[in-house]
Amino acid sequence: MTHRFPIKEIARQAGLGTATVDRVLNNRPNVSPQTRKRVEMAVQELTAQEAQLAARGRRVFIDVLAEAPTRFSREIRLAAETALRSFPTAAIRVRFQFHEVMSEAETLSALSRLKKRGSDGICLKLRDTPAIRDMIETLANANIPVFTLVTDLPGSVRKGYFGLDNAKAGRIAAYLITQSLHKQPATILTSRSQDSFRGESERFVAFRDQITTLRPQTRFINASGGAGMTAATGKALDALLSDCREVTAVYSMGGGNSTILRKLAEHRLQPTVYVAHDLDRENRYLLAQGTINYVLMHDLSQDLLHLFSMACDPIYAEISGEAKGSSAINIITPYNL
């Protein structure tokens, strides 16, 4: 058993004698499994305490770079402020860069600047492209750990992902819609902000596959590319809905729900059920008004709490290895809002 602590300290933590601890550490006979387990737990506890002590008084700079509409960027900032309250003894400085739309070139330039400036950890909500994955490897080679939030960059050397299980969210949305529609034929409008956001793509594929299994005759109208922005989303929907006679349900994966609802009304379409993501200010209002039926949400502050822990405590990060978060998915209705 590898460790860095004196035998007396391990013995005190485990509540055992030093001779017993010495036998365990040197793998000598006549030691019960329970005693061995107590020593192992004591070493783990001392390691965790050492990580906490190392974090105290440290000044840690964490950078958050996100491509997201302002309504969601606001939620990330509020969640970060909540998470930071759990670190009263560590001086964590979070630096935000929010952009509603970023080209790949702009993203790579921003990441290059972060590499030059230096960072203790970078949190990303970005599109999944080969060039961005390559840049993450460049950052890792510069000893800057990178974490992803809400939408992952699989295949990159990012240190960890924190957020919901997007495929599971898609299957939950499919269940809610099929239960709400009973046996009637369905035409479902799905909306994504960008095809290259991995999280939204995972939601869509799981949703489509689950709906097709539960109700093979379902027709899909797929809208994507509006970035959750009012003008672009509205333009895309006008083109899709101009010849549409019916929309039975909506699954909105990328936001812009006020615009989607307005365009549906303009085309005289009234869905029976509407499922959206994220309990931001806009969705709270729409849910309270009863114009959307369900919001799938997860606790961003818990995601960022775990992410900050990995970035702040190098020993904790070393022990944990790659982190893959799966936040609990909560179903919010007007009655538990």
Side-chain angles (χ1 to χ4, degrees), residues 181-200:
L181 296 180
H182 305 294
K183 299 298 182 181
Q184 69 190 90
T187 299
I188 301 177
L189 171 65
T190 64
S191 176
R192 287 168 284 159
S193 63
Q194 295 286 355
D195 286 327
S196 50
F197 280 127
R198 176 64 66 124
E200 291 180 24

Side-chain angles (χ1 to χ4, degrees), residues 147-158:
F147 308 91
T148 52
L149 181 70
V150 180
T151 182
D152 200 7
L153 292 165
S156 70
V157 294
R158 56 101 175 102

Side-chain angles (χ1 to χ4, degrees), residues 33-301:
Q34 294 85 357
T35 298
R36 188 175 299 279
K37 185 66 176 177
R38 283 175 66 179
V39 174
E40 291 174 355
M41 289 300 299
V43 171
Q44 291 178 20
E45 290 162 3
L46 288 169
T47 302
Q49 292 167 18
E50 186 178 70
Q52 292 169 1
L53 289 170
R56 290 178 183 173
R58 287 187 67 219
R59 179 172 294 179
V60 178
F61 289 96
I62 298 175
D63 291 277
V64 177
L65 177 62
E67 180 185 354
T70 300
R71 61 178 172 270
F72 191 70
S73 297
R74 184 187 302 116
E75 297 302 313
I76 294 176
R77 187 184 292 273
L78 291 173
E81 292 172 355
T82 299
L84 288 174
R85 297 188 192 120
S86 297
F87 298 88
T89 59
I92 302 176
R93 302 288 182 264
V94 182
R95 303 179 293 204
F96 298 99
Q97 290 188 59
F98 294 132
H99 303 268
E100 291 196 306
V101 179
M102 296 179 74
S103 68
E104 184 178 73
E106 290 169 335
T107 301
L108 295 174
S109 178
L111 291 171
S112 293
R113 290 194 297 271
L114 289 176
K115 175 178 176 291
K116 185 176 180 180
R117 183 171 65 181
S119 179
D120 292 297
I122 301 176
C123 168
L124 302 178
K125 180 191 176 296
L126 297 175
R127 308 181 198 191
D128 182 14
T129 72
I132 291 174
R133 292 197 297 270
D134 289 344
M135 177 58 76
I136 291 173
E137 183 172 3
T138 300
L139 291 164
N141 291 336
N143 296 318
I144 299 176
V146 175
F147 308 91
T148 52
L149 181 70
V150 180
T151 182
D152 200 7
L153 292 165
S156 70
V157 294
R158 56 101 175 102
K159 181 67 177 175
Y161 165 73
F162 297 91
L164 73 168
D165 182 328
N166 285 291
K168 182 183 292 184
R171 288 189 288 271
I172 291 172
Y175 175 80
L176 293 172
I177 286 176
T178 53
Q179 292 298 304
S180 299
L181 296 180
H182 305 294
K183 299 298 182 181
Q184 69 190 90
T187 299
I188 301 177
L189 171 65
T190 64
S191 176
R192 287 168 284 159
S193 63
Q194 295 286 355
D195 286 327
S196 50
F197 280 127
R198 176 64 66 124
E200 291 180 24
S201 295
E202 290 173 346
R203 294 173 194 175
F204 172 73
V205 170
F207 173 79
R208 181 198 60 200
D209 291 350
Q210 187 71 20
I211 286 282
T212 302
T213 299
L214 296 172
R215 190 168 302 182
Q217 72 274 24
T218 298
R219 174 175 174 247
F220 293 95
I221 303 172
N222 301 317
S224 178
M229 307 297 292
T230 300
T233 301
K235 184 177 180 180
L237 287 170
D238 274 331
L240 285 169
L241 300 177
S242 58
D243 297 323
C244 185
R245 295 184 178 182
E246 180 184 48
V247 170
T248 323
V250 177
Y251 179 31
S252 171
M253 291 160 263
N257 295 303
S258 292
T259 302
I260 295 171
L261 287 163
R262 186 177 73 254
K263 289 300 176 182
L264 287 169
E266 289 175 4
H267 291 270
R268 298 181 180 181
L269 298 168
Q270 180 62 53
T272 302
V273 59
Y274 195 120
V275 180
H277 272 268
D278 305 318
L279 201 58
D280 55 31
R281 188 178 300 173
E282 178 183 79
N283 286 347
R284 281 179 177 273
Y285 173 78
L286 296 174
L287 200 57
Q289 295 297 307
T291 50
I292 61 179
N293 305 99
Y294 303 102
V295 168
L296 304 181
M297 65 86 67
H298 65 290
D299 193 339
L300 265 175
S301 62

Side-chain angles (χ1 to χ4, degrees), residues 1-5 10 24-25 39-40 43-44 47 318:
M1 187 188 307
T2 59
H3 66 93
R4 59 172 66 85
F5 308 104
I10 298 172
V24 172
L25 296 178
V39 174
E40 291 174 355
V43 171
Q44 291 178 20
T47 302
E318 183 181 344

